[in-house]
Amino acid sequence: MKILLIEDEPELRKSIKQYLHQEGYVIESASDFIKAQEKVNVYQYDCILVDITLPYGSGLDIIKQLKATNSKAGIIIISAKNSLDDRINGLDLGADDYLPKPFDLAELNARIKALNRRRNFEGSKSIVINEITILPEERAVTINNQPVNLTTKEYELLLFFISNKNRVVSKNSIAEHLWGDDSDQMDSHDFIYVHLRNLRKKLSEKGCTDYVQTIYGIGYNFKIS
């Protein structure tokens, strides 16, 4: 999962980034309104954590912009401004959740996971696609009830495909999802081929159907009939 953290407090921003990185997320950050606006204009995210009070602008205006452009990102407000009016305004604009400061990082992680389940997997704690079962809380995958040992990138790639099943996803969107905003500095997509090859091999060894279709010149389609 690719997350954008919009937070101006340096120490809090650092601690959130470190914690979520350790939990296996791809995490990018912006320290003020202008930088946040630049990022949401250029890149796609699965989840955006946004503070209301920012240098040079308001986090509420970032939410307005995301909704105006029909962004698919889940939005969690993290703010010390915890009055009822602020909470209502943020949720009315389209935020999915509100977590007032100070908060425990484990609770933030739980909110992110719950949001991902609601938006992508109908709230289920397990994802079942034919012979594939994924337990996001445990980051575990089984094929026909046999455990599959995947690396972090292989797991995220599989989850990204399943989240976008029966849709063509570009190589650029895969690269952004797995490596963050710096992926546009890479010279080629060879790293995607390597991880995809290894993922396919591990799934096939457990008897999994190869659902990945290559759309030449564009990307891939995880085709589930």
Side-chain angles (χ1 to χ4, degrees), residues 2 17 26-29 39 42-45 172 174-189 191:
K2 184 182 176 188
K17 287 184 67 175
V26 173
I27 175 81
E28 303 290 339
S29 67
K39 282 188 174 290
V42 176
Y43 301 107
Q44 299 295 318
Y45 300 94
N172 285 338
I174 294 173
E176 275 188 34
H177 184 82
L178 295 182
W179 281 273
D181 301 347
D182 291 336
S183 63
D184 56 8
Q185 306 297 319
M186 298 176 178
D187 294 332
S188 73
H189 291 119
F191 51 88

Side-chain angles (χ1 to χ4, degrees), residues 27 33 153:
I27 175 81
F33 177 84
K153 294 302 184 188

Side-chain angles (χ1 to χ4, degrees), residues 102-145:
F103 51 79
D104 189 276
L105 293 177
E107 181 179 1
L108 175 61
N109 189 26
R111 299 284 189 102
I112 293 170
K113 289 180 178 178
L115 176 57
N116 187 44
R117 289 197 303 268
R118 290 197 304 270
R119 294 181 69 88
N120 295 313
F121 306 115
E122 300 178 348
S124 176
K125 289 192 175 183
S126 64
I127 305 159
V128 180
I129 301 290
N130 297 339
E131 69 270 40
I132 305 171
T133 300
I134 300 177
L135 301 175
E137 296 290 332
E138 303 171 23
R139 298 180 70 85
V141 178
T142 62
I143 303 296
N144 296 318
N145 297 317

Side-chain angles (χ1 to χ4, degrees), residues 61 75 77 83 86 88 93 95 172-173 188 190-192 203 220:
D61 289 328
I75 302 170
I77 295 174
S83 73
D86 291 324
I88 291 174
L93 288 173
N172 285 338
S173 66
S188 73
D190 289 348
F191 51 88
I192 295 177
L203 297 182
Y220 303 95

Side-chain angles (χ1 to χ4, degrees), residues 195-211:
H195 289 291
L196 179 57
R197 182 190 65 212
N198 292 339
L199 174 63
R200 280 172 147 169
K201 182 175 183 293
K202 290 181 180 180
L203 297 182
S204 176
E205 288 174 347
K206 300 296 183 180
C208 184
T209 301
D210 186 5
Y211 296 105

